[in-house]
């Protein structure tokens, strides 16, 4: 199975690159951010509970996202799963390992899209003009980057320790970035 976690700060381009990877490797795509935004848009009980947390740029509780992820892994009928925006902290990373093992599979690698901070802020403010996302404003962007630096960056060390961490430069030409990511994934598949 080709299970891949796409890692990177908010604004790193995970959504854009995901689309190409899902197609190329025939993967089930899950973005926890998209799934949570849908709950809010549909005004479900869960959506009402998490709206303020997301608007503040904080992470929602692990139980909520883990439940979503297990459903995706259990229902996957493609060659693997591409995780976008998950795991966001070390506890989620440990849970992902256990979940994948429960379904007799494992993570192939974690691709980290590396983009300088100023570029991230610039992209998110640019996206704010068209996304309509209530968390794409300057104050919340700062909080999201802080959450990322405090809670999500340690996930990179977690995967480095397991030999699964692959950094890729995430700025420049979008197709070049995709090609670099695919080269790394292909090498992992061959060596697996
Ligand atoms: P994203 O679209 O990935 O930037 O996520 C937007 C927001 O959704 C984040 O700021 C968090 O509030 C929430 N979120 C997304 N994924 C997770 C996750 N794995 N764990 C906790 N909160 C998440």
């Amino acid at each position: 199975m080709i299970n891949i976690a796409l890692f990177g700060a908010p604004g790193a381009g995970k959504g854009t690159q995901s689309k190409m990877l899902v197609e190329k490797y025939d993967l089930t795509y899950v973005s926890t951010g998209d799934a949570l935004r849908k709950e809010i848009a549909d005004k479900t009980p869960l959506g009402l509970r998490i709206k303020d947390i997301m608007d503040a740029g904080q992470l929602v509780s692990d139980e909520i996202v883990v439940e979503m992820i297990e459903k995706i892994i259990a229902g996957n009928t493609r060659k693997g799963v591409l995780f976008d925006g998950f795991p966001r902290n070390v506890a989620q990373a440990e849970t992902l390992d256990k979940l994948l093992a429960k379904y007799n599979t494992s993570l192939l690698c974690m691709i980290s899209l590396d983009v300088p901070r100023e570029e991230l802020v610039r992209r998110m403010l640019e996206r704010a003009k068209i996304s309509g996302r209530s968390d794409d404003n300057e104050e919340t962007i700062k909080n999201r980057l802080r959450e990322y630096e405090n809670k999500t960056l340690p996930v990179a060390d977690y995967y480095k320790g397991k030999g699964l961490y692959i950094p890729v430069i995430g700025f420049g030409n979008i197709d070049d970035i995709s090609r670099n990511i695919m080269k790394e994934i292909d090498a992992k598949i061959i060596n697996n």
Side-chain angles (χ1 to χ4, degrees):
M1 291 272 261
I2 305 172
N3 299 308
I4 299 167
L6 198 52
F7 184 83
K14 299 190 292 290
T16 307
Q17 293 300 333
S18 291
K19 291 195 188 82
M20 322 225 193
L21 296 175
V22 163
E23 219 171 279
K24 158 121 176 150
Y25 296 102
D26 186 24
L27 306 176
T28 296
Y29 173 65
V30 55
S31 153
T32 41
D34 283 352
L36 295 168
R37 275 186 290 281
K38 184 166 185 319
E39 297 284 340
I40 294 175
D42 293 349
K43 297 198 168 56
T44 64
L46 172 61
L48 296 174
R49 254 171 59 210
I50 60 178
K51 185 173 183 338
D52 289 347
I53 300 170
M54 282 183 65
D55 280 348
Q58 292 162 357
L59 295 184
V60 308
S61 80
D62 292 345
E63 293 72 44
I64 292 171
V65 283
V66 163
E67 203 183 310
M68 288 177 165
I69 291 292
E70 174 149 20
K71 277 194 198 138
I72 296 283
I73 296 172
N76 172 44
T77 53
R78 298 188 174 207
K79 296 206 175 94
V81 181
L82 178 67
F83 301 94
D84 169 357
F86 182 90
R88 276 296 230 284
N89 59 33
V90 172
Q92 290 181 11
E94 287 167 349
T95 307
L96 179 61
D97 278 349
K98 288 190 198 124
L99 276 180
L100 289 170
K102 182 172 159 187
Y103 292 89
N104 297 315
T105 184
S106 60
L107 199 69
L108 179 74
C109 60
M110 188 191 83
I111 300 283
S112 171
L113 278 176
D114 293 350
V115 177
R117 194 189 166 99
E118 318 78 69
E119 172 69 7
L120 295 171
V121 175
R122 194 192 64 73
R123 285 185 193 177
M124 276 192 278
L125 289 175
E126 198 56 38
R127 183 172 72 185
K129 292 182 195 154
I130 48 165
S131 73
R133 273 179 61 162
S134 52
D135 61 352
D136 274 345
N137 63 72
E138 211 158 348
E139 188 54 34
T140 309
I141 286 171
K142 268 192 223 142
N143 286 341
R144 285 161 66 201
L145 286 171
R146 202 173 308 130
E147 285 280 87
Y148 173 76
E149 280 151 12
N150 292 336
K151 297 182 183 160
T152 309
L153 269 184
V155 174
D157 288 331
Y158 177 83
Y159 286 114
K160 272 179 204 163
K162 292 176 175 283
L164 298 180
Y165 174 85
I166 304 177
V168 173
I169 292 171
F171 59 99
N173 180 287
I174 291 179
D175 291 332
D176 288 344
I177 299 169
S178 302
R179 258 192 298 277
N180 288 337
I181 295 176
M182 288 171 187
K183 220 187 312 169
E184 297 286 358
I185 293 174
D186 290 344
K188 266 283 177 195
I189 292 174
I190 288 167
N191 293 324
N192 213 32

